[in-house]
């Protein structure tokens, strides 16, 4: 569970609060979209959650860990319980795609043998198996974003925090990525995802937190009972946003996106694809 | 174990990936160590030169002609007992006489050969270990029984000992200054390296790497750079002492002192010191300049205004 109690954040030297009096509770296993205009404070919200930044006042508790009083030596351990997709990707420039993803596993001391099975599998989930030997600078923005996503998924973290994981990919890929996160969520993972694409949010019927100028202006709970047609409609809606030919068969996206997401569920049993 | 292996390999890989920075660090460290090494070898050579001159500066003690063989032997033993005496060498009057004769002009030789008896006294040649106590030793030599005359040059001895003291002091000051300047340059180089890699460090932290996990590859890099620079600097100092310093000292030997400084005698210590300094600065320097990037933010309640 993630709990924000009266949390405010003002950056050093800043004039205004980036976040003000945030009271939010996110239960274990929830899927939450965070939306809002640029500069509203969405990334700040996530950075506080992963303790990259500290609150200026109020307190944050994540899975029973108080982020104000956590000891420095416990912070690495805490971060390992999170799978994070950063808005700016944060890939290590002098490591290949493979090593960037593998790094997250090496950090927690995973045996090399296990890494060799798991990494190609996760890369295949995001459709980047061919690029595993490339360096980040040799990838497109969307490809880098998917590497960042793969790194966030590779350790089967209990909480996935994704800052605009679909910001640089085409509508089809956006849809597939959210589908994948949705599947992980169904298997019990808490997912918090920031996005600008309102249409993407609308079609998934999940909880939506809207931030405006540092304040939560709306928090709408998930609607139950989504259907396959809703998915198809959603897919077409997203795609329309990016103006694709009207005769495109959107249902193809939906069925295709289901395939890798299925595998994402059996989180411990890696390597099925290779 | 596998982890350590991986982190060590990472260190080597980083050296290769950041080739330019690695070469720059090695060059900086190498230059500093080489300067220190050359200053050190200069010191050693000058010291050796002064010692060479000092070697000429000995005390001659002439034994009373009336002394018996036993008494002459006793003089030798007494001289050896004086503190700070390095060596006592007996010079027989027969030998001394023969030496003089062989060096002499034929005309004079005829005159000397006319003498029935050897006119020279037995003598002892005494070398002093520590030049600063030269005068004390001279006094003690004078007080030994059966010595009728002592020949010494105490003012030259004093000058040499003063010269040596100031050369040593100046050299040590120069070496220490070079060392400090080197540490400054090296720590700046490391700071620049760390700055250029702060992104990498922050990414590692954000995926939950512990500080030691991040540090280890940097330590390996520091060690490798230190070892390479240390070995190169030893080689460079060797070349300089072989060619430049040896020609300098051989020209000094015209002045009269022979200088024998073998670089090989110092090579091992120099290499160890260089590698030691290199590894220390590499490891310690990167550890300290990394701290800034490893630090976590602290929660400080903001005052409401
Ligand atoms: N490190 C920082 N120092 C000072 N101010 C900051 C810092 N990071 C963010 N801010 C400010 O805090 C506010 C919120 O920024 P934040 O990054 O959370 O916005 P965002 O909602 O993620 O925007 P976007 O959609 O463009 O990513 C902005 O006004 C921004 O200028
Ligand atoms: Mg943001």
């Amino acid at each position: 569970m993630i709990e924000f109690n009266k949390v405010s954040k003002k950056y050093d030297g800043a004039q205004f609060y980036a976040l003000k009096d945030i009271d939010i509770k996110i239960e274990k296993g929830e899927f939450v979209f965070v939306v809002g205009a640029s500069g509203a404070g969405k990334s700040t919200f996530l950075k506080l959650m992963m303790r990259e930044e500290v609150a200026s006042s109020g307190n944050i508790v994540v899975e029973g860990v108080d982020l104000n009083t956590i000891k420095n030596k416990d912070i690495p351990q805490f971060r390992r319980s999170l799978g994070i997709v950063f808005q700016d990707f944060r890939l290590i420039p002098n490591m290949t795609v493979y090593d960037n993803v593998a790094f997250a596993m090496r950090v927690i001391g995973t045996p090399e043998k296990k890494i060799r099975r798991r990494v190609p599998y996760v890369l295949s989930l995001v459709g980047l198996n061919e690029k595993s030997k490339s360096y980040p600078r040799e990838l497109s923005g969307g490809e880098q974003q998917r590497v960042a996503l793969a790194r966030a998924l590779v350790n089967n973290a209990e909480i996935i925090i994704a800052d605009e994981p679909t910001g640089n990919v085409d509508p089809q890929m956006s849809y597939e990525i959210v589908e994948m996160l949705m599947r992980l969520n169904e298997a019990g993972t808490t997912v918090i995802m920031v996005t600008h694409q309102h249409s993407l949010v609308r079609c998934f019927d999940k909880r939506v937190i809207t931030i405006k100028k540092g304040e939560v202006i709306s928090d709408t709970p998930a609607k139950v009972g989504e259907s396959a047609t809703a998915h198809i409609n959603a897919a077409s809606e997203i795609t329309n946003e990016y103006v694709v030919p009207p005769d495109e068969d959107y249902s193809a996206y939906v069925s295709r996106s289901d395939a890798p997401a299925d595998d994402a569920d059996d989180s411990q049993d890696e390597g099925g694809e290779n | 174990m596998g982890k350590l292996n991986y982190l060590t390999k990472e260190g080597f890989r980083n050296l290769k990936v950041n080739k330019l920075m690695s070469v720059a660090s090695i060059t900086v460290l190498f230059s500093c160590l080489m300067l220190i090494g050359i200053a050190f070898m200069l010191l050693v050579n000058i010291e050796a030169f002064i010692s060479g001159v000092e070697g000429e500066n000995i005390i001659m003690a002439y034994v009373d002609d009336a002394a018996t063989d036993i008494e002459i032997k006793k003089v030798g033993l007494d001289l050896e007992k004086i503190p700070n005496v390095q060596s006592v060498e007996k010079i027989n009057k027969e030998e001394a006489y023969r030496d003089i004769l062989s060096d002499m002009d034929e005309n004079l030789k005829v005159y000397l050969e006319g003498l029935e008896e050897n006119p020279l006294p037995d003598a002892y040649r005494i070398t002093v270990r520590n030049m600063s106590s030269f005068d004390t030793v001279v006094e003690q030599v004078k007080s030994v029984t059966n010595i009728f005359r002592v020949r010494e040059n105490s003012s030259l001895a004093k000058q040499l000992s003063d010269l040596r003291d100031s050369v040593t002091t100046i050299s040590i000051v120069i070496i220490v200054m070079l060392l400090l300047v080197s540490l400054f340059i090296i720590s700046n180089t490391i700071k620049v390296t760390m700055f250029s890699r702060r992104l990498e460090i922050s990414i590692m932290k954000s995926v939950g790497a512990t500080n030691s996990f991040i540090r280890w590859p940097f330590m390996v890099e520091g060690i490798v750079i230190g070892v390479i620079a240390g070995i190169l600097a030893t080689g460079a100092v060797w070349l300089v002492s072989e060619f430049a310093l040896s020609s300098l000292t051989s020209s000094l030997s015209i002045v009269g002192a022979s200088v024998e400084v073998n670089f090989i005698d110092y090579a091992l210590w120099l290499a160890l010191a260089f590698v030691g300094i290199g590894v220390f600065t590499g490891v310690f320097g990167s550890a300290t300049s990394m701290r800034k990037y490893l630090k976590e933010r602290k929660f400080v309640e903001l005052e409401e205004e």
Side-chain angles (χ1 to χ4, degrees), chain A residues 11 18 37-44 87 164 196:
Chain A
Y11 285 101
S38 180
K42 305 181 295 297
S43 295
T44 305
Q87 190 170 10
E164 300 216 28
H196 271 126

Side-chain angles (χ1 to χ4, degrees), chain B residues 191-208:
Chain B
K191 265 186 208 146
V192 170
T193 317
M194 285 298 160
F195 184 77
S196 71
R197 286 166 72 180
R198 70 196 186 288
L199 170 72
E200 193 181 326
I201 295 172
S202 77
I203 296 171
M204 291 177 173
K205 282 190 72 65
S206 60
V207 296

Side-chain angles (χ1 to χ4, degrees), chain A residues 24-26 30-33 206-209 219-222:
Chain A
I24 287 283
K25 208 180 260 185
I26 297 170
E30 259 194 280
F31 191 115
V32 180
F33 285 112
K206 291 290 183 185
R207 179 176 172 188
V208 182
I209 296 173
D219 186 353
T220 55

Side-chain angles (χ1 to χ4, degrees), chain A residues 10 17 51-57 68 72 75-76 79-80 86 90-91 94-95 103 106-107 151, chain B residues 6 10 13 17 200 203-210 213 296-302 304-305:
Chain A
K10 191 162 145 183
Y17 278 90
R51 213 200 179 274
E52 184 169 306
E53 294 290 347
V54 286
S56 305
S57 64
N68 286 352
N72 278 352
I75 293 176
R79 290 204 182 111
R80 292 174 197 179
F86 296 94
R90 302 216 185 155
L91 303 177
N94 65 34
M95 281 188 193
F103 185 78
R106 289 178 175 134
V107 156
R151 185 179 60 190
Chain B
Y6 161 73
E10 254 323 273
R13 193 186 66 86
V17 172
E200 193 181 326
I203 296 171
M204 291 177 173
K205 282 190 72 65
S206 60
V207 296
T210 56
F213 192 91
E296 293 290 349
R297 290 181 200 284
K298 275 228 149 16
F299 172 71
V300 188
E301 181 97 42
L302 196 74
E304 285 291 333
E305 60 264 35

Side-chain angles (χ1 to χ4, degrees), chain A residues 23-24 33 35 61 96 115 149 170 181 188 203 215 228 240 256:
Chain A
D23 270 309
I24 287 283
F33 285 112
V35 297
V61 180
T96 60
I115 294 175
L149 180 64
D170 59 63
L181 293 175
C203 61
E215 289 179 71
N240 283 335
R256 216 184 301 165

